[in-house]
Amino acid sequence: MWLNDFYHSLNPIVFTLGPFQVRWYGIAYLAGFVCAGLVIARVARRWKLDLSTDDVLSVMIDVAVGVIVGARVFYVVFYGAGYYLEHPLEIFALNQGGMSFHGGLVGALVGGTIACKRWKLSVLTVADLAAIGAPIGLFFGRCANFVNGELWGKETSLPWGVMFPTGGAVYRHPSQLYEALLEGVVLFCVLFRLSRRQPARPQGTFIGTFLMLYGVFRFLIEFVRLPDAQLGYLLGTGWLTMGQVLSLPLVVAGAVVLVLASRNNRPQVGHLDAATDDVAAA
């Protein structure tokens, strides 16, 4: 089990200064936002959009806040199983983990929309740009989950199985790395490749593709990833997880957005002028 040996050589803590610890999980969040911002700026230049560095930075700050708040709120509501009702102060204990991608996505959309309205940017174009950069953050985040030894999968006899400290004395699927590959590498390659077409594909193409493919990838990976212990499998099915329940609407929403993008065929734009109202039209 070569991957198991590699895993046990890793330390989730990068370094410690007194009571202060820097973990790979925090660095993953930071690296994800920085790299996504660089990708957004590069694609915006290729599309010849009138977006400045300040515009991109302003949006990224609001999106980052939305991701953190949304991810935590969704985890508390959908995965907490009543625990946080009895321990409300632990809602703010982010250092103990507990973040939901689906909540982070909602938070990112809300934060990004607020930023776009403030700076009079096209919500749909910014959403498309963010969708191209987002898989990089997902890649770093899932790798950090692997280093932390969390969100592991079912037992396996495959040669890349890993024996996680909290998973018992059995080898398990490194489902975090499956997600890093599909939700991160594959999804980014698909979206970045699509973004290279000139002229740019219509508004909604990229966020629609992102939602649909992420939902499909996450739904499939849940078959080898164990559900959160406090929830288990839903409805007594022995296979349906909360992750799958929350992913199905993403597939539907992505398909709907793609259909509307093809039908409306709206060009990508940066700043909105007084006569532009793509948000209302959407």
Side-chain angles (χ1 to χ4, degrees):
M1 298 292 186
W2 59 270
L3 188 59
N4 182 66
D5 294 335
F6 173 71
Y7 166 75
H8 286 284
S9 71
L10 301 174
N11 189 337
I13 300 174
V14 184
F15 63 85
T16 301
L17 289 175
F20 182 71
Q21 291 182 336
V22 174
R23 293 176 170 266
W24 286 114
Y25 197 75
I27 291 179
Y29 263 83
L30 178 60
F33 287 124
V34 170
C35 291
L38 294 174
V39 168
I40 289 171
R42 177 175 177 178
V43 175
R45 286 195 301 270
R46 183 186 303 124
W47 289 355
K48 297 179 172 59
L49 303 178
D50 56 340
L51 294 178
S52 66
T53 301
D54 286 343
D55 291 329
V56 174
L57 182 59
S58 298
V59 171
M60 291 305 299
I61 291 174
D62 283 13
V63 167
V65 174
V67 166
I68 294 171
V69 174
R72 186 58 172 173
V73 169
F74 260 58
Y75 184 85
V76 169
V77 173
F78 290 102
Y79 293 92
Y83 174 82
Y84 294 98
L85 291 176
E86 299 178 4
H87 308 85
L89 293 180
E90 293 195 22
I91 293 175
F92 305 100
L94 300 182
N95 62 316
Q96 298 180 11
M99 306 289 274
S100 162
F101 164 80
H102 301 87
L105 174 62
V106 173
L109 292 174
V110 173
T113 299
I114 292 173
C116 288
K117 289 184 175 294
R118 180 186 303 133
W119 304 108
K120 299 189 183 304
L121 305 175
S122 167
V123 174
L124 289 176
T125 290
V126 170
D128 276 345
L129 290 170
I132 299 169
I136 300 177
L138 288 173
F139 172 79
F140 285 128
R142 294 311 183 191
C143 288
N145 290 146
F146 176 73
V147 174
N148 284 350
E150 59 193 4
L151 307 182
W152 28 260
K154 297 178 179 179
E155 294 183 33
T156 182
S157 58
L158 293 172
W160 54 81
V162 176
M163 189 177 295
F164 296 99
T166 57
V170 295
Y171 289 102
R172 297 186 176 277
H173 284 285
S175 52
Q176 316 95 325
L177 299 185
Y178 300 167
E179 292 188 74
L181 177 63
L182 291 178
E183 301 166 6
V185 177
V186 173
L187 191 49
F188 174 75
C189 289
V190 170
L191 292 170
F192 192 73
R193 178 64 180 173
L194 287 175
S195 75
R196 299 184 64 83
R197 174 181 171 180
Q198 295 288 356
R201 295 176 185 269
Q203 286 184 335
T205 300
F206 299 89
I207 185 64
T209 302
F210 174 87
L211 292 173
M212 188 170 67
L213 288 184
Y214 176 87
V216 170
F217 291 156
R218 178 66 183 271
F219 188 90
L220 293 176
I221 291 172
E222 288 286 320
F223 284 111
V224 296
R225 170 180 159 176
L226 283 178
D228 290 68
Q230 69 272 22
L231 294 180
Y233 293 107
L234 306 181
L235 304 177
T237 58
W239 61 270
L240 182 65
T241 68
M242 180 61 74
Q244 290 174 319
V245 170
L246 295 176
S247 294
L248 284 176
L250 297 186
V251 178
V252 175
V256 170
V257 171
L258 283 174
V259 171
L260 293 177
S262 177
R263 180 181 301 172
N264 295 331
N265 197 29
R266 295 180 178 274
Q268 301 287 356
V269 296
H271 282 270
L272 302 175
D273 56 37
T276 306
D277 191 10
D278 69 330
V279 179

